[in-house]
Amino acid sequence: MKTKAVIENGFKETEIGLIPEDWEVVNVDKYIQFERGTEPGSENYNKDKKGVRFLRVVDISGSRDDKTYTTSKKLKLCKKKDILITFDGSPGIVKQGLEGAYSSGIRKVVIINKDLFSDYVYYVLQTIYVQRTIEKYTTGVTIKHSSKAILHIKIPFFSIQEQQKIAFVLSKIQQAIEQQDRIIETTRELKKSLMNKLFTEGLHGEEQKETDIGLMPKSWDVRKINEFAKIKYGKQKPKIIGQIPVVGSSRIYAWCEKPLINFPTLIVGRKGNAGAVHLFLEPCWPSDTTFYLEWKSEMVTPKFLYYYMSINQLSGEHAKTTIPSLQRQDLENYRFPFPNISEQLDIIKAIDKIDKKLSQAESKKQTFQALFRTMLNQLMTGKIRVKIRVRDLDVEVN
Amino acid sequence: MLDIKTLETWLWNAACSIRGAVDAPKFKDYILPLIFVKRLSDVFEDEIKRLSEEFGDGETAIEIVSKDHNLVRFFIPKQAAWQQIRKQTTKIGEKLTDAIRAIAKENPKLQGVIDIVDFNATVSGQRIIDDGKLSSLIEIISRNRLGLKDAEPDILGRAYEYLLRKFAEGQGQSAGEFYTPKEVGWIMAYILDPEQGQEVYDPACGSGGLLVKSQLALKEKEKKILKPLRLYGQEQNYVTYAMAKMNMIIHDMEGDIAIGDTLRNPKFLEGSILKTFDLVVANPMWNQDGYNSEFYESDTFNRFNNGYPPTSSADWGWIQLMFASLNKNGKAAIVLDTGSVARGSGNKGSNREKEIRKAFVDSDWIEAVLLLPENLFYNTTAPGIILILNKNKPKERKDRIMLMNTSLEFEKGRPKNFIPDDKIEKIAKAFHDWKNIDKFTRIITNQEAEKNDYNLSPSRYVGNGKEEEYRDVDEILVELAELEEERKKTDRELNEIMKNITQRGFLKEE
């Protein structure tokens, strides 16, 4: 037992660090039960929405999008308001708002003491106090287990009114993050739809014509890539490390000293992520799993072609080998809608603006996330105390 | 008798004689009242002829009718008779305007309907339509008689609607006017299947086309109309309102048309509560903005009990208004954009439109959603949907919703696609048969709607082989507008909170 020395300014030293004098530290297992889920076996899974939604650790961590359902009878169920926490696989992830049956790697948080406010629990489980303990008691290398941590988790405890205030502030920040998320998601969708609209309708409200690559404005043509560019093979990555990006079929994967090319180009995945398109305006090194374009004409803006190709991707699926691979003539004969250069530039401008909005929304989200982490820490250590009443905080502001 | 084709060609020729002189959206405002006046005048002549047989001679008949206007449909004073109008050679615009005002003066029902156009109007000292153009227009209109024996009300009405459609096609739509393609009107009428004596209401009635079609659908079905429908409409734009009045009269139908913004100021009331109807039809403006939460909150007619729509789209404001206008067995058919049945579904977090939609599904008020083909409407290429509400679904339809994908049921047209008659019938029949038809209809339970997070977009449930890869840009923009509106609100709230607890905010003071 440590002696609890009283520190200046009304703080005291405890086993979880400095906290305000009027707070306590409690063992979480006296206040909360963690109800373990069940495992009905993968033969009882389905993707056809039969039965109830089955929540696995991957659904909590958000690493998979596909939803699983189960018709099994031996299930533990949770509602949207329930707090879930993982103790296996990726331990320590806390989630609320999911409904269905939950797997054995997940625990449902059941509060057994009326002095603990549910939303406070949701946030306190995300604090470093809890996360560090879970980390400390994690065993297993490939599949992690940390249910032993439950007996050791300690949290700060204080009046339910103050718990409510802290939860309220954090939930507002969280709401701001979620909204930013939805704006990003919707703007991405807008970009996709707008690109399609621009490539089929153009910018000048022209009448459209039917072509074998789809509708497009009457004044446009259908042209092939090899009319404007030579298709070149990328080269093996050089050994000397430097500042120039080496581009593979799916991304930049290394840096080298000298560029292979020093003009703006499109790099198209040949093997691996066959058909993926990357735009490089600065000098770079396309690797040997890619093709790149060397321009014969300035009538096509690389970015215009890039945007079109990114929503009308080629694939290497027809390749006779097991690894999908793109053939050079597929790329040479790739056809695309071709407006005059000034309309190309206007189209690029419109799409670029959406990109700008997207990156602004992304950075705003990241800033809110940083604010959340800081406030979570400051509020849960009592460095910032919320003094006003919740009622006063919850004002409609106009 | 004039057949419909002859009528249409003739009226369109008349329209063309002044086209170019006037801005496209405006010129229908001149020609439609003139055709209307021609009809009134010819019918009056017929009625006088009939009465002269009764009273002995024409002069006596006119004398008696001048004293008692109730003997005729409309009383046309001598100086306003078409023959007089036609005789003018000078100051045509001025005299025409006077003649029309004289008619309105004798017939209170026509006040604010035919006398709103000034044929003598000028813009910066120039006549909008000069006397020469007016004179040739009058001549063309004079070529055919439009009396009772020359043109049946239905046929004339259809030709009149044809003109409205032509104007809409010629980009003749000004802001706030959304002429509903007639096929869509027929589908709505056949689905609602009006019965004798029912009351039908259109809170965004435009030129009255949907109301007219309900009556015509009833006529098609019944051998004898003992009790016609009672039609009620409200329209905000006064020119369109006048058009609706004329449309009713030309079709020989009785309609009570009111003027004003139905969301702000509904005109059909019983005391202080909304009048309710058997059937409600409308094609309100899609994604109308400008109605905020304060507006919905201050509503005194109990219309928005299931939630306040976002400022970016009043779609669910209209739907709730129409729902509140239904009697206990009432049914409604509403044309809106596809986004109204899908927006907000699948999103994390709450969305106001989704929450209202959820309330409608959970209360079992939605009977069907039909996806229409694309490029049908005049102001957009977006496809649109018809939402069918039913306050008292038949037993076998309880807790069920029919989703119909009619996106392939059209023929290509220029500038707009259209739905041919056999396909209109097919669509209405599929609704009444209430069966699952592969790639066309699917009946889902309300629980299934819930599982899909209350997304009622028909293409989600009924694929027709034609994959829809891209969502409509407008639809996404409306969704984004709502998100931005909510984000701003949260930003302000969070800013206040941070200021309260740390003395520092992140928004600039406005």
Side-chain angles (χ1 to χ4, degrees):
Chain A
M1 231 359 220
K2 267 186 197 166
T3 47
K4 287 172 188 166
V6 178
I7 314 279
E8 266 184 292
N9 302 331
F11 280 83
K12 61 184 175 189
E13 181 70 50
T14 68
E15 54 259 70
I16 60 169
L18 281 180
I19 60 167
E21 269 175 30
D22 54 329
W23 289 11
E24 283 174 59
V25 175
V26 298
N27 275 327
V28 86
D29 63 329
K30 302 263 181 350
Y31 291 76
I32 293 169
Q33 276 171 4
F34 294 91
E35 273 182 16
R36 191 175 180 161
T38 56
E39 184 43 72
S42 58
E43 67 278 11
N44 291 314
Y45 292 173
N46 73 78
K47 302 275 179 201
D48 320 317
K49 298 185 180 176
K50 282 187 201 122
V52 295
R53 170 105 192 258
F54 184 66
L55 302 164
R56 301 155 296 167
V57 174
V58 286
D59 296 299
I60 307 284
S61 65
S63 57
R64 290 262 291 269
D65 290 337
D66 56 328
K67 290 177 182 167
T68 301
Y69 294 80
T70 182
T71 46
S72 168
K73 293 279 169 279
K74 289 179 203 155
L75 298 170
K76 287 278 181 73
L77 298 171
C78 65
K79 293 228 158 64
K80 278 191 175 154
K81 63 169 178 40
D82 288 325
I83 302 164
L84 302 174
I85 179 167
T86 56
F87 278 105
D88 296 299
S90 335
I93 302 169
V94 185
K95 201 98 185 183
Q96 209 173 8
L98 291 169
E99 194 166 62
Y102 55 100
S103 76
S104 57
I106 303 171
R107 310 277 176 129
K108 179 163 89 180
V109 172
V110 181
I111 299 165
I112 48 175
N113 184 309
K114 65 177 173 33
D115 292 326
L116 210 48
F117 182 58
S118 163
D119 287 358
Y120 170 69
V121 173
Y122 171 64
Y123 291 111
V124 86
L125 289 176
Q126 300 177 46
T127 57
I128 203 143
Y129 308 131
V130 178
Q131 295 294 321
R132 263 195 204 138
T133 315
I134 290 177
E135 210 175 304
K136 194 171 158 194
Y137 291 94
T138 294
T139 57
V141 182
T142 42
I143 298 174
K144 293 173 175 161
H145 304 281
S146 55
S147 48
K148 283 194 200 98
I150 291 172
L151 292 173
H152 305 278
I153 295 172
K154 293 182 170 62
I155 56 167
F157 178 75
F158 37 82
S159 78
I160 196 154
Q161 289 79 11
E162 190 164 4
Q163 294 175 31
Q164 282 169 350
K165 288 177 197 175
I166 289 179
F168 178 77
V169 172
L170 292 172
S171 72
K172 246 324 147 201
I173 305 176
Q174 202 183 18
Q175 194 186 339
I177 296 170
E178 276 162 15
Q179 278 171 357
Q180 223 51 50
D181 254 338
R182 285 167 55 196
I183 286 175
I184 292 166
E185 198 183 306
T186 313
T187 309
R188 283 213 185 102
E189 228 184 326
L190 177 66
K191 181 178 166 186
K192 199 176 139 203
S193 283
L194 184 79
M195 277 162 75
N196 177 57
K197 190 181 163 78
L198 291 172
F199 288 124
T200 52
E201 293 174 24
L203 279 167
H204 305 311
E206 272 178 72
E207 216 176 291
Q208 289 167 293
K209 62 180 175 189
E210 197 94 54
T211 72
D212 38 353
I213 58 165
L215 283 174
M216 69 179 68
K218 260 193 164 161
S219 71
W220 295 18
D221 288 329
V222 178
R223 303 290 280 269
K224 285 183 189 169
I225 287 187
N226 66 0
E227 296 173 50
F228 302 95
K230 273 195 257 174
I231 313 295
K232 310 272 272 189
Y233 282 90
K235 286 210 168 77
Q236 203 180 353
K237 176 178 78 130
K239 295 216 163 60
I240 307 169
I241 295 167
Q243 308 279 317
I244 303 294
V246 181
V247 188
S249 66
S250 46
R251 67 193 131 82
I252 297 175
Y253 72 101
W255 301 85
C256 64
E257 195 194 17
K258 283 186 187 135
L260 178 62
I261 53 167
N262 50 15
F263 48 83
T265 191
L266 288 193
I267 298 174
V268 184
R270 187 169 64 85
K271 279 189 203 161
N273 201 354
V277 205
H278 313 278
L279 174 70
F280 276 81
L281 300 173
E282 304 294 328
C284 64
W285 189 290
S287 88
D288 55 358
T289 56
T290 67
F291 290 115
Y292 67 92
L293 304 191
E294 190 179 290
W295 304 99
K296 298 190 281 192
S297 148
E298 287 181 357
M299 297 307 291
V300 177
T301 332
K303 207 169 193 179
F304 178 81
L305 186 56
Y306 164 70
Y307 279 142
Y308 181 76
M309 288 186 83
S310 65
I311 60 164
N312 295 282
Q313 269 200 18
L314 279 166
S315 72
E317 272 168 24
H318 59 284
K320 291 191 181 77
T321 53
T322 45
I323 307 160
S325 112
L326 195 65
Q327 309 299 307
R328 193 204 311 231
Q329 63 267 33
D330 294 341
L331 203 48
E332 285 171 341
N333 294 323
Y334 182 91
R335 288 170 311 159
F336 63 98
F338 178 72
N340 66 40
I341 200 107
S342 89
E343 195 165 1
Q344 290 179 31
L345 291 173
D346 287 343
I347 287 172
I348 291 171
K349 217 186 210 170
I351 302 169
D352 281 351
K353 276 280 179 286
I354 297 194
D355 272 337
K356 193 166 178 193
K357 167 147 177 86
L358 262 178
S359 67
Q360 282 167 351
E362 295 272 9
S363 50
K364 190 162 174 187
K365 178 187 160 189
Q366 284 165 12
T367 313
F368 278 140
Q369 281 172 329
L371 180 67
F372 179 83
R373 285 189 298 269
T374 305
M375 290 303 288
L376 181 69
N377 181 273
Q378 301 285 81
L379 292 168
M380 292 295 187
T381 52
K383 293 209 182 74
I384 292 178
R385 301 286 289 267
V386 189
K387 300 224 168 58
I388 34 178
R389 291 172 303 173
V390 168
R391 212 158 4 117
D392 294 334
L393 288 172
D394 196 8
V395 278
E396 282 273 326
V397 194
N398 288 305
Chain B
M1 279 273 175
L2 285 164
D3 64 76
I4 180 108
K5 269 273 150 279
T6 318
L7 258 172
E8 284 175 0
T9 320
W10 167 51
L11 294 180
W12 183 239
N13 284 339
C16 290
S17 75
I18 60 161
R19 203 143 74 128
V22 192
D23 283 351
K26 275 264 154 217
F27 84 113
K28 68 172 189 300
D29 304 349
Y30 292 92
I31 176 151
L32 290 170
L34 266 190
I35 294 163
F36 182 69
V37 167
K38 174 74 161 66
R39 166 75 169 180
L40 293 186
S41 181
D42 289 352
V43 169
F44 182 68
E45 253 181 47
D46 290 349
E47 287 180 311
I48 290 299
K49 201 183 261 170
R50 177 174 55 81
L51 290 172
S52 19
E53 276 156 29
E54 219 174 304
F55 299 124
D57 62 82
E59 264 171 51
T60 320
I62 289 183
E63 207 185 306
I64 293 170
V65 168
S66 326
K67 282 177 192 143
D68 185 358
H69 292 0
N70 288 330
L71 291 169
V72 285
R73 286 176 171 80
F74 293 99
F75 178 77
I76 308 296
K78 201 175 168 206
Q79 75 273 24
W82 191 262
Q83 290 316 321
Q84 285 303 115
I85 292 174
R86 196 180 175 184
K87 269 186 205 153
Q88 304 303 332
T89 50
T90 56
K91 294 188 173 171
I92 296 176
E94 196 184 319
K95 286 174 183 159
L96 184 56
T97 309
D98 289 346
I100 286 174
R101 289 189 179 154
I103 298 174
K105 202 176 160 207
E106 297 287 342
N107 302 280
K109 271 193 194 169
L110 300 179
Q111 286 165 14
V113 176
I114 56 169
D115 52 351
I116 53 173
V117 193
D118 182 358
F119 289 91
N120 205 30
T122 55
V123 170
S124 17
Q126 285 282 320
R127 283 278 299 280
I128 295 175
I129 306 186
D130 63 41
D131 278 358
K133 280 249 161 61
L134 263 185
S135 157
S136 58
L137 173 63
I138 291 169
E139 268 321 295
I140 296 175
I141 295 181
S142 303
R143 276 181 206 158
N144 286 301
R145 269 198 105 244
L146 285 178
L148 290 172
K149 287 190 183 126
D150 310 302
E152 277 177 80
D154 284 1
I155 302 292
L156 180 62
R158 278 181 207 213
Y160 201 77
E161 288 253 318
Y162 160 84
L163 268 193
L164 285 171
R165 178 175 184 141
K166 289 295 271 187
F167 292 131
E169 271 178 12
Q171 289 177 324
Q173 296 210 45
S174 49
E177 287 177 48
F178 301 95
Y179 179 75
T180 312
K182 67 170 192 226
E183 312 93 278
V184 177
W186 283 112
I187 290 171
M188 293 163 87
Y190 291 145
I191 282 183
L192 290 183
D193 194 21
E195 285 163 29
Q196 304 225 20
Q198 282 189 323
E199 296 194 311
V200 188
Y201 172 51
D202 183 343
C205 73
S207 50
L210 296 180
L211 292 172
V212 164
K213 276 168 205 93
S214 316
Q215 191 78 271
L216 293 175
L218 178 69
K219 279 193 187 172
E220 274 184 15
K221 175 172 80 160
E222 304 282 351
K223 282 208 182 78
K224 202 162 179 193
I225 305 286
L226 298 168
K227 285 190 209 152
L229 300 178
R230 274 170 293 165
L231 308 176
Y232 300 83
Q234 184 166 341
E235 169 57 38
Q236 180 171 17
N237 177 313
Y238 75 99
V239 179
T240 318
Y241 154 83
M243 222 79 85
K245 288 270 217 184
M246 289 188 258
N247 203 4
M248 291 285 153
I249 294 165
I250 273 202
H251 276 95
D252 213 8
M253 290 176 191
E254 284 288 326
D256 195 346
I257 311 290
I259 188 159
D261 175 345
T262 316
L263 276 168
R264 290 191 199 285
N265 200 354
K267 291 289 169 65
F268 296 103
L269 302 175
E270 277 164 352
S272 59
I273 59 168
L274 284 187
K275 177 172 167 59
T276 57
F277 303 87
D278 301 298
L279 303 175
V280 179
V281 283
N283 175 12
M285 185 176 162
W286 300 358
N287 297 323
Q288 195 171 7
D289 58 10
Y291 299 93
N292 56 20
S293 294
E294 283 102 76
F295 160 74
Y296 292 112
E297 252 165 57
S298 62
D299 176 54
T300 54
F301 301 105
N302 280 322
R303 290 175 295 178
F304 311 112
N305 297 334
N306 292 292
Y308 304 148
T311 313
S312 52
S313 170
D315 286 0
W316 282 89
W318 282 102
I319 296 170
Q320 292 189 78
L321 172 161
M322 292 175 68
F323 181 77
S325 305
L326 291 176
N327 63 26
K328 66 180 190 335
N329 294 316
K331 293 187 284 183
I334 310 161
V335 182
L336 283 168
D337 70 321
T338 49
S340 62
V341 290
R343 277 192 297 266
S345 291
N347 284 350
K348 285 176 268 168
S350 71
N351 171 286
R352 286 191 249 167
E353 293 191 287
K354 182 180 83 185
E355 292 307 316
I356 306 172
R357 200 157 60 234
K358 173 179 188 307
F360 270 68
V361 171
D362 291 348
S363 309
D364 202 22
W365 293 329
I366 298 179
E367 186 168 12
V369 181
L370 284 72
L371 173 68
L372 292 167
E374 61 179 20
N375 198 21
L376 216 54
F377 293 88
Y378 298 104
N379 55 327
T380 175
T381 54
I385 55 114
I386 303 175
L387 175 69
I388 308 291
L389 303 179
N390 191 341
K391 255 188 154 169
N392 185 15
K393 289 192 202 172
K395 205 172 157 206
E396 71 279 7
R397 300 189 180 194
K398 288 236 189 309
D399 290 315
R400 284 181 164 63
I401 299 170
M402 175 184 269
L403 296 153
M404 194 189 296
N405 186 341
T406 79
S407 58
L408 298 180
E409 309 297 317
F410 71 95
E411 270 171 34
K412 280 227 174 251
R414 266 171 188 257
K416 289 290 163 181
N417 293 337
F418 65 98
I419 308 177
D421 290 349
D422 57 325
K423 294 194 163 158
I424 295 176
E425 270 169 47
K426 175 183 170 187
I427 291 166
K429 186 170 182 300
F431 172 82
H432 292 297
D433 287 352
W434 199 258
K435 279 188 204 120
N436 283 318
I437 303 172
D438 191 34
K439 291 177 185 156
F440 191 49
T441 62
R442 218 182 116 206
I443 297 158
I444 62 163
T445 60
N446 292 352
Q447 286 69 34
E448 208 175 335
E450 187 192 338
K451 267 193 180 167
N452 284 285
D453 201 24
Y454 301 95
N455 186 334
L456 296 180
S457 180
S459 54
R460 192 183 173 89
Y461 302 87
V462 199
N464 54 18
K466 200 181 145 213
E467 271 304 312
E468 197 50 72
E469 205 180 333
Y470 300 100
R471 256 173 84 197
D472 182 52
V473 170
D474 287 349
E475 185 185 319
I476 302 173
L477 289 176
V478 171
E479 197 170 309
L480 202 53
E482 179 183 354
L483 287 172
E484 292 287 351
E485 187 189 344
E486 286 185 357
R487 177 191 61 79
K488 275 189 194 139
K489 188 168 164 256
T490 308
D491 275 359
R492 285 191 301 261
E493 287 170 357
L494 186 59
N495 189 53
E496 263 331 277
I497 291 166
M498 296 313 291
K499 262 165 58 187
N500 263 322
I501 60 180
T502 69
Q503 283 75 53
R504 190 188 176 94
F506 60 93
L507 292 181
K508 266 200 205 146
E509 297 289 335
E510 275 162 35

